[in-house]
Amino acid sequence: MRHLIACLRRALFGSHDSPAGDGVPADIEWKGFAALLKRHRVVPLVWPVLKPRPGAMPADVQRQLAQEAASNAQQALFQAGELSILRAQLERHGIRSIALKGPALSLQAYGNLASRDAGDVDLWVDPSRYDHAVRVVLEGGYQHANPGGAQNRVLTASYRQHFHSFEFRHATTGSLLDLHWRCAPNRHLFPVTFDDLWARRVKLSIGGSEVATLPGQDLILFLCTHGARNAWYRLKWLCDVAVLVTESTEDDRQRLVKRALQLGLERVLAQALLLSERIFGVTRSPLLDPRLRKDSQVIDLVNTAERALTEDARRWAAAAPLSAKLTKFSNELRLRKSLPYKLHCLTRHLLRVESSGIVRTWRALLPTR
Amino acid sequence: MAKLRGDFRPHPQVVDTVVDEDEVALLHLETKAYFSLNATGAVVWNGLKDGLNVEQVADRLQEVFDVDASTATQSVQELLQQLLEQRLLERND
């Protein structure tokens, strides 16, 4: 882990005055190291650091990493294309959409599509037009993936209450799309409306079309909430936030702290900044209220995240084993002070709303048409 | 083969990304043509993105790779031809 972090520091901050990594020793167990890169979804970031030292690693590991980086580049381009096409299709129907994470974030954080691990396309659409947006993507060749199969009203209503997106898979290309009606499963976690963000959207040019995405401080806070609700178990998420915060101006950082307070996300931001300090050794943020540094809830959140980084990733994935659910719940509960937020957490936990569990329950009760 | 002259630019429906620091991958969103450029091709592509004309791109290639003028011009011409065939480039009228 120490060597991985050193590589990431070099990849992320090498050109700045931040501490440079100390490299990877030749006698490292390379297969395990390659697996660690994959577990944290950071092959595209680390490969350019390792590439200049081809003799240092076994040929098969070198081939594997080069292949993964190349295949990620191809995937990133296809996703950018898919994002541009989907956005245009939705726009033709008068449906506004905002790109979350994915290709848009890769451009915002790294200025390059292939620098970030390409997962799926995440699009947040105008919630008042969500059903229409679903019809548009289905007509565009996508099929329901999670929950799969035909939907009924009760199932959809339940899903809409407890989750934040439906997942679709393209019938021919296999591309994955998360179509969001809100930013997070818990509607109180990131309390910003679509209309508010749309009014302040940032436009990126991708493949000759303009794609809307989140503006500066909201982008960072959204990423912090996403990382926090997953206990930051992948370094990829922390890299995104660390690089965006490091490259912000001092004024932007002040605005970030102010915005976090405004949205009640001070713990979430403090966790991300403290974790970045601990993991990457990035400069201490003088803007962080000293009381937050000593806040026991924040300290617990940072400690949980540090443990999650080294634990089996399956413990923190959507379908975590029962033994991990309580830790996840306790982590989630600490993120915000707000009572409605905590009540929503509790409801989700009591109903065991994890992944598509609730869908399976509803299916058992109500046959889909 | 007629020599290509003047200004060319990436087709608006092309997305590109840097791979391994010195290579570039291209995708045409409509035709789905995927193209991978090595370090030499990447210098040509980035030159065109920077608004250089064919002759200026060949000059840049000479500078970066320390090759003679005829080698640089030939490399640029061959690559332009391929990129045009794949509709990854268009003439800047």
Side-chain angles (χ1 to χ4, degrees), chain A residues 8-43:
Chain A
L8 284 171
R9 277 157 60 167
R10 190 176 286 179
L12 297 173
F13 313 113
S15 58
H16 303 280
D17 57 357
S18 302
D22 53 6
V24 182
D27 60 352
I28 195 172
E29 203 278 286
W30 279 99
K31 286 204 169 146
F33 188 66
L36 194 61
L37 299 186
K38 208 166 174 174
R39 182 240 184 262
H40 286 286
R41 306 280 193 265
V42 289
V43 173

Side-chain angles (χ1 to χ4, degrees), chain A residues 64-355:
Chain A
Q64 181 199 328
L65 293 176
Q67 203 171 27
E68 282 174 19
S71 133
N72 184 69
Q74 191 166 5
Q75 174 78 357
L77 286 181
F78 276 101
Q79 277 187 1
E82 206 54 34
L83 173 63
S84 166
I85 291 165
L86 280 163
R87 189 214 60 83
Q89 285 172 344
L90 290 164
E91 192 183 57
R92 274 199 290 280
H93 289 263
I95 302 170
R96 298 172 295 165
S97 62
I98 295 177
L100 302 171
K101 305 184 283 174
L105 174 57
S106 197
L107 286 176
Q108 283 171 296
Y110 307 102
N112 185 43
L113 287 168
S115 297
R116 196 170 178 274
D117 181 81
D120 49 15
V121 171
D122 288 81
L123 260 183
W124 187 11
V125 295
D126 177 352
S128 67
R129 308 288 307 280
Y130 190 79
D131 293 339
H132 192 171
V134 169
R135 288 199 295 277
V136 172
V137 302
L138 292 175
E139 280 164 19
Y142 280 88
Q143 296 172 338
H144 282 282
N146 188 17
Q151 311 293 309
N152 63 44
R153 276 185 194 174
V154 180
L155 175 70
T156 305
S158 160
Y159 216 86
R160 293 277 288 271
Q161 193 182 348
H162 296 290
F163 292 88
H164 58 311
S165 66
F166 278 141
E167 188 184 45
F168 297 84
R169 185 187 295 275
H170 198 278
T172 50
T173 64
S175 299
L176 288 174
L177 162 70
D178 269 351
L179 197 66
H180 295 246
W181 54 87
R182 63 173 172 254
C183 274
N186 187 322
R187 62 180 173 276
H188 306 287
L189 178 59
F190 187 70
V192 185
T193 66
F194 180 91
D195 287 337
D196 176 25
L197 283 177
W198 179 261
R200 294 179 295 110
R201 69 194 178 278
V202 165
K203 292 174 193 167
L204 295 174
S205 174
I206 298 181
S209 80
E210 274 189 348
V211 172
T213 188
L214 303 177
Q217 286 78 41
D218 291 271
L219 169 66
I220 295 174
L221 291 172
F222 163 69
L223 295 174
C224 289
T225 58
H226 178 264
R229 71 183 166 83
N230 289 292
W232 298 97
Y233 76 90
R234 291 200 199 286
L235 276 170
K236 162 190 170 175
W237 301 321
L238 196 62
C239 291
D240 297 336
V241 170
V243 85
L244 286 167
V245 171
T246 307
E247 291 187 355
S248 308
T249 63
E250 209 47 45
D251 283 351
D252 283 342
R253 285 185 222 175
Q254 276 181 18
R255 277 194 281 270
L256 176 65
V257 174
K258 201 171 154 192
R259 183 76 174 139
L261 286 168
Q262 214 174 43
L263 297 176
L265 290 172
E266 63 277 11
R267 277 186 192 166
V268 171
L269 179 64
Q271 180 199 26
L273 295 180
L274 291 173
L275 196 60
S276 297
E277 278 179 22
R278 272 198 208 174
I279 302 292
F280 298 127
V282 291
T283 324
R284 271 171 75 92
S285 174
L287 295 167
L288 204 57
D289 187 331
R291 278 172 302 181
L292 274 174
R293 289 183 182 275
K294 290 178 192 155
D295 183 320
S296 63
Q297 301 293 333
V298 173
I299 292 167
D300 277 353
L301 283 171
V302 176
N303 291 339
T304 305
E306 228 176 358
R307 272 199 310 277
L309 281 171
T310 54
E311 284 176 344
D312 184 339
R314 284 169 300 189
R315 275 183 66 78
W316 295 94
L322 203 60
S323 61
K325 285 191 193 300
L326 201 63
T327 323
K328 279 184 83 171
F329 172 60
S330 147
N331 176 72
E332 205 181 337
L333 212 54
R334 289 190 177 104
L335 300 181
R336 285 187 67 105
K337 291 175 189 165
S338 116
L339 188 62
Y341 168 78
K342 288 182 193 294
L343 283 173
H344 198 282
C345 287
L346 198 63
T347 314
R348 281 174 56 84
H349 183 70
L350 291 176
L351 288 174
R352 291 231 180 127
V353 182
E354 282 295 338
S355 184

Side-chain angles (χ1 to χ4, degrees), chain B residues 53 55 69 92:
Chain B
N53 64 29
E55 294 73 23
N92 204 1

Side-chain angles (χ1 to χ4, degrees), chain A residues 47-48 51 69 73-74 77-78 80-81 84-85 112-114 206-208, chain B residues 12-23 25-27 29 32 34:
Chain A
W47 174 238
K51 193 192 166 195
Q74 191 166 5
L77 286 181
F78 276 101
S84 166
I85 291 165
N112 185 43
L113 287 168
I206 298 181
Chain B
Q13 283 209 299
V14 170
V15 280
D16 64 352
T17 187
V18 178
V19 188
D20 290 358
E21 286 197 314
D22 53 2
E23 295 171 16
L26 313 172
L27 173 74
L29 298 186
K32 308 289 181 207
Y34 180 78

Side-chain angles (χ1 to χ4, degrees), chain A residues 46-63:
Chain A
V46 172
W47 174 238
V49 174
L50 298 176
K51 193 192 166 195
R53 307 174 54 209
M57 69 188 92
D60 57 339
V61 174
Q62 188 190 339
R63 264 196 310 276

